[in-house]
Amino acid sequence: MANGQGYGGTGGYGAPPQSPHGQAPYGQNPYAQDRQARNPYAQPVPPQAYPPPQAYPPPQAYPPQHPQPAAAPPPGGFPGPAPRRNRFAVLLQFLLQWIYAPLWVLGLVLLFVVLIFADYSGGGPSSDGWLKVNRSFIPPRRLRAELTGRPEHWERYVTPVLARRIAAAEASYAAGGGEVRPDLGRVVGVRLAERLYRGLGAAGVVRLAERYGWHGVASGSDTGHVLLARHFPAPVILNAPSPQDPPAAPGTPWGPQAVRFAPLLPFVLLLQIVYVPVYGLLTCWVSRPEPDYWDRWGARWTVGPRAFYAEFTNSPAAWDRHIRRILKRDTDRPRPTTTRTPDGTLVHRIHLKRATYRGAGAHHALRIAADQGWTLDPAYTPDPTNSLRLSRPLQP
């Protein structure tokens, strides 16, 4: 046929049908042709050399995860704030303390009265914590810090407390207190209980103390307190006469001091048994700015039995015997106060008070002590009107 649909023609019934989308007949995969032949832009790709596969380390066997305890503070470090107390318990203690604190004090007074009239052998608890009512007392100024637990509130509370403790410790150093070091300097310390800085932590207290020139000290196993210290260098000795110098004039700091009226001394000796304890009980609550207040008060209002005859007669020989007797007593003590110097030498230290040499003078006492090997202690600033501190190598 002319239309190509006849028998035997190319487009007849005996030939496979043509695909409308291309020249490939049905029954054949048109995508099986060579892609390079179908894509005129295809270029032959040269073979590429790939790097060998990287060798990775074998997987590690991780231990099972368990909650780890809190890391201990580094050596020389100080712990942070302690856990807060329960607010209800704090409020309950604050309300009840106004009842049990007076009863506690009254009970202690009655206990002491009973012990005075009873045959007390001296036994009892090893700790005196039950005597200190203030340990369980919450001042109103601390109540807010206990309830809120904020560090700024605790800092506002503990700052004046720390300032008072530091001022008292430095005043104690000025009065001759402190521990003597081998370099002849002295160290004074302050100890604060945890109840005073619970929400601030020992680290916060040390930070506050550094403003005053103090530093923290490791407290070891005593985790309930923070220890602070300050080191003072050895003082420069000035205006100290030599034992070989001429005697000091009366009325000068190193010379003889005025003694009391002799006829009054017997009454002072007898009445001091009564008025000394009464005065102490009536003024025990008073805060004294001078740590050696009682030594100075006693030198004015009391007289010792050993110094009675020397002051009553005001004889140079009597004062000489009294000074030598006190020197011998302090030298022969079974447990003397000693300090080891950097070269390993043990130094023996004694403290002569004003009542020992009042009528003879500090210079005369220094001359007597020099005959026995004593010299002025270089760790203390001389204060001849109140006391005389001496030292010498400890004799075996």
Side-chain angles (χ1 to χ4, degrees):
M1 291 183 178
N3 56 0
Q5 296 181 356
Y7 290 100
T10 56
Y13 289 103
Q18 300 292 326
S19 172
H21 302 286
Q23 300 299 324
Y26 287 105
Q28 297 182 6
N29 185 3
Y31 303 101
Q33 299 178 6
D34 187 9
R35 295 183 180 180
Q36 183 175 358
R38 290 189 298 107
N39 185 4
Y41 301 100
Q43 300 294 330
V45 179
Q48 299 180 3
Y50 293 95
Q54 184 180 0
Y56 292 95
Q60 298 180 2
Y62 293 96
Q65 298 295 328
H66 298 287
Q68 300 294 331
F78 300 94
R84 287 180 54 187
R85 296 181 58 193
N86 183 271
R87 292 184 178 182
F88 178 76
V90 171
L91 286 174
L92 185 62
Q93 178 181 351
F94 180 78
L95 295 176
L96 295 180
Q97 67 185 3
W98 306 101
I99 301 175
Y100 70 74
L103 296 178
W104 193 340
V105 175
L106 179 61
L108 292 178
V109 173
L110 296 177
L111 177 62
F112 287 134
V113 172
V114 171
L115 294 178
I116 291 175
F117 294 97
D119 187 13
Y120 179 59
S121 60
S126 58
S127 175
D128 60 346
W130 59 281
L131 295 173
K132 300 179 180 180
V133 187
N134 61 315
R135 292 185 177 181
S136 61
F137 194 86
I138 301 178
R141 294 176 301 170
R142 199 173 80 210
L143 180 62
R144 182 184 181 186
E146 290 276 8
L147 293 178
T148 63
R150 296 182 177 179
E152 58 269 20
H153 293 165
W154 277 101
E155 182 174 344
R156 191 177 299 117
Y157 165 74
V158 76
T159 296
V161 176
L162 181 63
R164 290 194 300 269
R165 299 285 184 91
I166 288 179
E170 293 179 350
S172 174
Y173 163 79
E179 181 183 356
V180 181
R181 294 297 187 179
D183 60 354
L184 300 182
R186 281 183 288 150
V187 175
V188 291
V190 169
R191 187 168 177 260
L192 289 180
E194 188 182 40
R195 67 177 183 276
L196 302 177
Y197 61 88
R198 178 184 302 276
L200 190 61
V205 177
V206 172
R207 174 177 54 83
L208 295 177
E210 290 175 351
R211 302 176 183 176
Y212 300 91
W214 288 60
H215 62 273
V217 180
S219 58
S221 59
D222 188 5
T223 58
H225 294 81
V226 59
L227 305 181
L228 307 172
R230 183 176 180 182
H231 181 271
F232 291 88
V236 179
I237 298 180
L238 300 175
N239 302 325
S242 172
Q244 291 76 26
D245 290 344
T252 60
W254 289 91
Q257 302 179 21
V259 297
R260 289 165 290 188
F261 187 51
L264 291 179
L265 290 180
F267 298 97
V268 173
L269 181 64
L270 295 177
L271 295 179
Q272 68 185 5
I273 303 175
V274 177
Y275 66 74
V276 168
V278 171
Y279 180 76
L281 291 175
L282 293 178
T283 61
C284 63
W285 56 272
V286 179
S287 178
R288 307 294 182 183
E290 307 89 359
D292 58 346
Y293 170 83
W294 288 106
D295 289 342
R296 301 189 183 195
W297 185 86
R300 176 178 296 182
W301 299 104
T302 64
V303 57
R306 294 175 178 268
F308 175 80
Y309 181 76
E311 188 172 0
F312 183 80
T313 60
N314 199 23
S315 168
W319 282 111
D320 190 281
R321 288 193 300 269
H322 178 59
I323 294 173
R324 295 181 184 276
R325 182 167 57 244
I326 298 300
L327 279 174
K328 185 178 185 306
R329 182 200 65 183
D330 294 345
T331 303
D332 297 341
R333 283 180 177 175
R335 300 179 64 181
T337 303
T338 60
T339 301
R340 190 175 297 276
T341 59
D343 59 357
T345 304
L346 281 176
V347 178
H348 185 187
R349 289 181 162 85
I350 61 175
H351 180 201
L352 299 182
K353 298 184 179 181
R354 173 185 175 185
T356 304
Y357 56 83
R358 182 200 303 265
H363 187 215
H364 185 71
L366 180 61
R367 296 175 64 179
I368 297 175
D371 295 338
Q372 304 179 17
W374 296 96
T375 59
L376 285 175
D377 196 333
Y380 299 88
T381 301
D383 185 18
T385 57
N386 294 300
S387 63
L388 194 63
R389 296 182 179 272
L390 307 172
S391 65
R392 73 175 185 181
L394 185 62
Q395 299 177 358

